[in-house]
Amino acid sequence: MTPTSRTAPPERVRAGRRTVEIRRPDKVLFPGDGLTKADLAGYYRTVAHRMLPHLRGRPLMLERHPDGIDGPAFMQKDVPDHFPDWVHRAELPKEGGTVTYVLCEDTATLLYLAGQACTTPHRFLSRADRPDRPDRLVFDLDPADEDFAPVREAALGLHRLLDELELPSSLMTTGSRGLHVVVALDRRAPFDDVRAFARGVADVLASRHPDRFTTEARKNARRGRLYLDVQRNGYAQTAVVPYAVRARPGAPVAAPLAWSDLDDPDLTARRWTVATVDGLLKDDPWHDPPRPRSLRRARDLLAELTRGG
């Protein structure tokens, strides 16, 4: 007779005042690395103190891999009926109705999501109380091929240009292919205005380096140039959360960087992984975040740059 396989009993993890049950804790989610659902929850428990400030108050889209990263995956917006009542929610409008999103307000919720095989939470660039007013602007920089040098060059160019516009910016790896350059906003401008401004910034950088960068959305028109992507700056669009695990071999994570990290020629989007979390947490490049800024002054400065050619 073939022996009957036994499912491991649920693992109960204490998080604040709650005990979170991780069912099938031995379920392997990253086959090439042997990382289980319990390992994923353990990672998120370790980074929760750094990650939660980037999650609280923000509607989330959940990237779930119930059969591991080699199996079918799906992106979930609406909160499933079986989620416990203590998981916070936000009901927001969409065309023709509403969507009820998860809000991750505490470590217990982060662990619960890991127990649901949510490898990667993706966050709104706005908060649930004013979903149409972003407090983050994001430039998404992915390489055209395997050469990461143009991504580093684009990030540095954006950093310098944003400094010209008197907008402090932050840098992070996506854990997948590229880098994000992030600007903190004061929530006064609506998404359409923010995206138009971001496109204007990208146009200026592309005009300065037309052989290296482009704002052309059509892939066949880019001709090997790096695409300066601003399309995440829209209502209900999302971006990966700092410290989130990506569903790739090696379990890479999205990681905040210091601008000086761009000097490292070996920098890649997957520098940090679940296995190297101790090194990631040693220093916090974002320990002193920029004060949220208005776009009013930056728009005037951008117009001057545009007029000046």
Side-chain angles (χ1 to χ4, degrees):
M1 295 179 62
T2 303
T4 302
S5 61
R6 294 185 178 181
T7 301
E11 183 173 305
R12 292 174 174 81
V13 184
R14 189 71 180 172
R17 295 176 299 169
R18 302 194 184 280
T19 299
V20 180
E21 186 174 88
I22 309 296
R23 296 184 179 180
R24 300 184 66 194
D26 59 346
K27 172 67 179 179
V28 176
L29 298 181
F30 292 78
D33 307 281
L35 292 174
T36 65
K37 193 185 290 187
D39 294 326
L40 181 68
Y43 166 81
Y44 278 128
R45 188 180 191 186
T46 298
V47 302
H49 67 291
R50 290 276 184 85
M51 193 172 180
L52 285 171
H54 304 291
L55 286 168
R56 289 191 179 106
R58 298 181 184 279
L60 299 180
M61 185 181 297
L62 310 179
E63 181 181 342
R64 297 178 62 184
H65 294 261
D67 295 316
I69 66 169
D70 291 343
F74 61 98
M75 304 292 287
Q76 187 156 39
K77 295 180 180 180
D78 268 305
V79 179
D81 292 339
H82 68 267
F83 273 34
D85 291 343
W86 50 262
V87 172
H88 290 248
R89 296 153 166 84
E91 185 176 357
L92 300 179
K94 69 170 184 178
E95 186 175 354
T98 63
V99 177
T100 302
Y101 294 92
V102 167
L103 301 178
C104 185
E105 305 295 277
D106 51 31
T107 302
T109 302
L110 191 56
L111 296 180
Y112 182 81
L113 295 179
Q116 296 297 304
C118 172
T119 58
T120 317
H122 301 260
R123 65 177 181 172
F124 269 40
L125 301 183
S126 58
R127 297 180 185 273
D129 60 338
R130 298 179 69 187
D132 60 331
R133 301 281 170 153
D135 66 349
R136 294 290 184 273
L137 181 159
V138 172
F139 297 91
D140 187 10
L141 309 175
D142 284 340
D145 49 36
E146 293 304 310
D147 185 5
F148 203 73
V151 182
R152 293 167 45 233
E153 293 169 3
L156 183 58
L158 277 171
H159 181 45
R160 290 171 175 166
L161 178 52
L162 291 167
D163 279 351
E164 291 180 55
L165 302 176
E166 300 179 7
L167 287 177
S169 54
S170 302
L171 180 69
M172 62 177 282
T173 70
T174 63
S176 179
R177 298 189 66 240
L179 299 173
H180 281 177
V181 175
V182 184
V183 177
L185 302 177
D186 63 1
R187 304 210 293 175
R188 293 184 181 179
F191 268 111
D192 286 349
D193 291 356
V194 170
R195 183 164 50 195
F197 172 80
R199 175 58 188 263
V201 173
D203 284 339
V204 168
L205 185 61
S207 69
R208 290 178 175 180
H209 307 280
D211 58 327
R212 287 186 283 169
F213 310 134
T214 181
T215 56
E216 179 57 67
R218 294 173 302 158
K219 289 184 178 181
N220 61 1
R222 296 176 193 170
R223 300 192 303 275
R225 296 170 295 174
L226 185 141
Y227 175 45
L228 304 172
D229 187 356
V230 301
Q231 295 308 309
R232 295 186 184 278
N233 299 288
Y235 177 77
Q237 298 298 308
T238 61
V240 66
V241 183
Y243 301 99
V245 181
R246 304 312 302 269
R248 284 177 165 264
V253 302
L257 298 177
W259 283 106
S260 59
D261 289 322
L262 290 177
D263 297 334
D264 183 355
D266 295 326
L267 176 67
T268 71
R270 298 185 288 277
R271 161 176 284 184
W272 297 106
T273 71
V274 167
T276 58
V277 62
D278 291 342
L280 175 60
L281 297 178
K282 189 174 297 183
D283 297 303
D284 183 4
W286 290 10
H287 72 280
D288 186 19
R291 177 176 58 84
R293 301 298 178 99
S294 167
L295 288 182
R296 183 178 301 174
R297 168 70 173 163
R299 282 198 199 98
D300 293 341
L301 293 172
L302 181 63
E304 291 177 14
L305 286 178
T306 304
R307 284 194 299 269

